[in-house]
């Protein structure tokens, strides 16, 4: 099992969109994919569940002891298996978050109980910024997909996330590094191009790619479909394919490094 959280320091940058579209693209390429929604907004189902109403139960219903984990998983688009977050009222949500804070190994134990085949890619959608959900995934992640926009807000918030990655991921020998994705890029805007070139140079081996600002992305969401199914020839569909391909290359390189005894993680980049 390879756990790949999709994270960001700032909200609304496209994490759920990226988690959904990477999941379906990877599944299309023949990989076994479990997509977990670990964000109380419970929005991943709108991209992945053919009937988002079927995904009402999810993790929340298991915590309320209404369902088993197996029953909480629903078939998603393109063969992805989806574990939705579901709906929790305020009190149980606070109780869950307190439980997660007190039990740092909660997600690891949960996934161990699923006995997933070792080649399964587990893509996890997360809420923005620091949270107990972020702590849980960073303690286990193989590779973090970090989503950013080419704006000052993403740059200003970045240290919040970097500190957590330094703390929970970098010391682990099984951590293969970050994969940075710049979303909603617009080649017509000079600032966008400047930031893109700067980040690509700065991040080097940890650079995953860009996804263009593309109306097909929000139209696909309105139709509850992945972008590659809704608009296969769109720029964003091609961008997601390229990012999924690079993600697989990073994982393969990390596996090869592990087998050869070399360090798996790309070097952290500062400055
Ligand atoms: N490449 C893109 N082109 C056009 N629209 C996009 C693109 N990526 C995301 N969006 C739109 O941006 C909005 C926010 O995306 P999304 O919900 O995936 O962000 P998020 O990071 O998951 O937000 P949150 O932090 O609230 O969880 C959505 O309306 C989505 O359709
Ligand atoms: Mg989201």
């Amino acid at each position: 099992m390879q756990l790949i959280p999709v994270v960001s320091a700032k909200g609304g940058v496209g994490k759920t969109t990226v988690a959904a579209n990477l999941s379906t693209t990877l599944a299309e390429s023949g990989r076994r994919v479990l997509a977990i929604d670990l964000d109380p907004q419970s929005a991943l189902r709108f991209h992945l569940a053919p009937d988002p109403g079927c995904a009402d139960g999810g993790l929340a219903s298991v915590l309320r002891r209404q369902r088993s984990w197996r029953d909480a998983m629903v078939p998603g688009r393109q063969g992805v298996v989806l574990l939705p977050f579901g709906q929790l009222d305020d009190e149980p949500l606070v109780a869950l978050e307190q439980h997660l804070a007190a039990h740092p190994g909660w997600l690891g134990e949960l996934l161990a109980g699923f006995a997933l085949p070792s080649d399964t890619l587990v893509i996890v959608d997360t809420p923005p910024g620091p949270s107990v959900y972020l702590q849980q995934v960073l303690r286990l992640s193989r590779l973090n997909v970090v989503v950013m926009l080419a704006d000052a807000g993403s740059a200003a918030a970045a240290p919040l996330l970097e500190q957590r990655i330094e703390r929970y991921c970098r010391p682990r020998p099984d951590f293969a590094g970050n994969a940075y994705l710049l979303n909603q890029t617009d080649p017509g805007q000079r600032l966008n191009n400047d930031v893109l070139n700067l980040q690509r140079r700065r991040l080097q081996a940890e650079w995953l790619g860009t996804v263009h600002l593309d109306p097909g992305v929000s139209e696909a969401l309105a139709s509850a479909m992945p972008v590659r199914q809704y608009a296969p020839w769109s720029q964003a569909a091609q961008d997601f394919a390229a990012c999924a391909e690079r993600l697989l290359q990073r994982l393969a390189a990390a596996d090869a490094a592990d087998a050869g005894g070399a360090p798996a993680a790309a070097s952290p980049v500062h400055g």
Side-chain angles (χ1 to χ4, degrees):
M1 186 206 74
Q2 311 243 39
L3 190 100
I4 304 163
V6 180
V7 299
S8 73
K10 190 168 140 336
V13 299
K15 284 178 301 304
T16 305
T17 305
V18 167
N21 284 284
L22 283 182
S23 293
T24 48
T25 308
L26 290 165
E28 267 176 54
S29 73
R31 301 302 300 254
R32 203 189 302 266
V33 180
L34 169 63
I36 301 182
D37 194 344
L38 209 54
D39 180 350
Q41 292 184 77
S42 196
L44 197 55
R45 64 195 166 125
F46 297 122
H47 298 256
L48 288 180
D51 173 8
C54 293
D56 274 349
L59 207 147
S61 67
V62 182
L63 297 171
R64 286 196 302 261
R65 301 182 192 285
Q66 292 167 337
R67 274 193 181 85
S68 70
W69 285 113
R70 293 263 163 223
D71 292 341
M73 295 190 201
V74 295
R77 298 274 183 195
Q78 311 309 114
V80 172
V81 174
L82 169 67
L83 178 56
F85 190 92
Q87 309 290 324
L88 275 182
D89 281 339
D90 287 350
E91 293 78 9
L93 187 60
V94 170
L96 169 64
E97 294 183 353
Q98 286 170 346
H99 184 78
L100 297 191
H103 297 85
W106 175 84
L107 184 62
E109 286 160 25
L110 175 69
L111 290 171
F114 292 166
L116 298 168
S118 61
D119 62 349
T120 309
L121 300 179
V122 181
I123 311 282
V124 188
D125 188 25
T126 62
S131 68
V132 285
Y133 308 102
L134 184 72
Q135 287 172 19
Q136 291 279 335
V137 290
L138 292 187
R139 285 192 178 98
L140 286 180
S141 65
R142 177 69 161 153
L143 193 72
N144 301 318
V145 172
V146 182
V147 183
M148 303 172 299
L149 299 183
D151 66 0
S154 280
L160 282 178
L161 186 59
E162 298 294 343
Q163 285 159 9
R164 268 71 184 183
I165 291 170
E166 285 298 324
R167 176 171 172 186
Y168 297 111
C169 302
R170 299 278 183 204
R172 285 192 285 108
D174 61 328
F175 177 57
N178 292 328
Y180 289 87
L181 186 155
L182 200 63
N183 190 25
Q184 303 191 27
T185 56
D186 179 355
Q189 290 195 24
R190 196 173 139 211
L191 178 64
N192 252 249
N193 289 327
D194 291 349
V195 172
L196 175 60
N197 292 329
L198 184 80
Q199 293 287 22
R200 194 182 276 159
R201 268 201 312 275
R202 185 177 81 89
L203 298 166
Q204 299 177 16
E206 293 203 313
W207 175 252
L208 186 68
T210 56
V211 176
H212 287 77
L213 181 70
D214 185 331
V217 173
S218 26
E219 288 169 18
L221 174 59
S223 305
M225 286 173 81
V227 177
R228 282 170 58 79
Q229 274 59 58
Y230 176 82
W233 306 113
S234 63
Q235 179 66 56
Q238 292 171 46
D239 295 340
F240 282 122
C243 289
E245 178 67 33
R246 264 180 241 124
L247 195 66
L248 290 176
Q249 287 167 2
R250 282 286 301 278
L251 291 171
D255 288 346
D258 282 359
S267 309
V269 185
H270 299 287

